[in-house]
Amino acid sequence: MDQPVRFGLNVDPNVGGLAIAERIAAIADNSGIEYVGVQDHPYNDGFLDTFAVLTWLAARTSRVHLFPNVANLPLRPPAMLAKQAASVDVLSSGRFELGLGAGGFVDAIAGMGGPRRAPGAARAALAEAIDIIRASWAGEPYAFQGRHYALEGVRPGPRPRHDLGLWLGVIGPKAVRLVGEKADGWSVSAPYVPPRRVDELNPIIDEAARSAGRDPDRIVRLYNVMGLIGPEDRDDFHGPVGRWVETLTRLHTEQRMNTFVYWPSGDRERQSRIFAEEVAPAVRAALGQPG
């Protein structure tokens, strides 16, 4: 397996939660955690704009990479989204990755003026958006004519500071083929894609990658894990540190998930610190990987 294990922490873009968001990002930045993710639900009136929060956090950190988990495509036109992502990457000295989703809350999206897309149309729009974003990051003028997007003459810029990753938040068998065909990674959440479904979907990604002449082992497979670290040993995602280490080690070695982003269901700052300072180093040690 070419991908080492990596870890991240979730930060919510709550209007009233900036202080804790900054402290959790600092925990990641100072502890060796690789990523901080921020969910993107623009129709939530309690949330700040995700890209504004990501830019704000980039200015307050120096090492950790940041990403939307995942950006809402129907409300963010792809050429502009590519420019936003590249801009934050430049401003952060190459510490940004782009998580991207087709948009799951159709009524809320339509309520903000976005398109109301059926699942098949949403997949097709996502596939077109990937091509547009890739063309934009390449930095050369281009035009694009598709079913969902038509761009007559784009003069893209800036180019990203580093080889910016494009990770898809998709969960259906047809949609995950796009990960293997066109993307750099897969970002899914355990409540929606439990471990048994990981076993069903991973081979689809692998086959699609091989058919496209791509190496499936180079794909980031990011798992958002929700739960609590504590004395009550209830299940894989509710238990002491040792239980978490066992769970994540197994998910890496047996189910090939290689990046774990922690979303504590309570006591967020303390839980994030335990994950960063105890769970993540112990998983690396169990796998024989440097801390």
Side-chain angles (χ1 to χ4, degrees):
M1 182 182 298
D2 293 338
Q3 292 276 349
V5 68
R6 295 184 176 94
F7 299 93
L9 297 175
N10 172 68
V11 166
D12 289 326
N14 294 315
V15 173
L18 289 178
I20 191 169
E22 185 174 10
R23 291 197 297 269
I24 290 175
I27 290 169
D29 203 42
N30 296 327
S31 66
I33 290 288
E34 285 86 358
Y35 299 113
V36 166
V38 181
Q39 59 184 301
D40 186 32
H41 295 285
Y43 34 76
N44 188 325
D45 61 0
F47 282 1
L48 295 160
D49 176 70
T50 291
F51 275 77
V53 173
L54 288 162
T55 307
W56 179 76
L57 290 174
R60 285 158 174 77
T61 54
S62 61
R63 189 201 57 80
V64 71
H65 282 230
L66 304 133
F67 71 103
N69 196 11
V70 288
N72 190 295
L73 175 62
L75 292 174
R76 299 187 182 275
M80 193 63 213
L81 182 58
K83 189 178 188 74
Q84 287 179 293
S87 297
V88 181
D89 198 51
V90 169
L91 293 169
S92 64
S93 299
R95 294 187 293 116
F96 188 80
E97 318 295 342
L98 180 58
L100 181 62
F105 295 90
V106 177
D107 291 341
I109 290 166
M112 286 193 77
R116 186 183 294 274
R117 291 172 176 151
R123 286 194 305 272
L126 182 59
E128 290 183 12
I130 295 168
D131 294 340
I132 292 167
I133 290 167
R134 297 282 197 208
S136 294
W137 289 345
E140 298 294 331
Y142 71 93
F144 181 91
Q145 182 63 52
R147 180 179 175 188
H148 298 279
Y149 298 106
L151 291 74
E152 294 185 1
V154 183
R155 298 181 61 84
R159 295 187 68 172
R161 178 71 176 270
H162 84 301
D163 189 10
L164 203 156
L166 179 55
W167 306 339
L168 302 186
V170 289
I171 62 175
K174 294 179 181 177
V176 299
R177 290 195 60 83
L178 285 175
V179 176
E181 291 170 352
K182 297 189 174 191
D184 304 303
W186 184 38
S187 176
V188 290
S189 300
Y192 295 102
V193 182
R196 60 176 176 77
R197 285 212 68 212
V198 169
D199 288 335
E200 298 169 7
L201 297 175
N202 258 331
I204 298 174
I205 295 172
D206 295 344
E207 189 275 329
R210 293 190 188 100
S211 294
R214 308 175 74 225
D215 182 357
D217 287 337
R218 295 181 64 85
I219 293 172
V220 171
R221 302 181 196 236
L222 187 154
Y223 211 29
N224 294 296
V225 289
M226 290 75 168
L228 284 173
I229 306 164
E232 186 180 359
D233 195 350
R234 286 170 40 197
D235 55 47
D236 283 346
F237 302 115
H238 294 83
V241 168
R243 170 76 149 181
W244 276 86
V245 172
E246 177 186 331
T247 296
L248 301 188
T249 300
R250 184 179 69 251
L251 285 166
H252 182 68
T253 57
E254 297 180 9
Q255 295 177 282
R256 301 169 55 221
M257 304 308 283
N258 51 47
T259 302
F260 300 100
V261 175
Y262 184 42
W263 297 51
S265 53
D267 197 8
R268 292 187 295 149
E269 184 177 350
R270 189 180 73 87
Q271 286 279 312
S272 295
R273 187 173 298 279
I274 294 170
F275 185 84
E277 297 181 356
E278 299 182 38
V279 174
V283 174
R284 295 191 211 270
L287 294 168
Q289 298 180 6

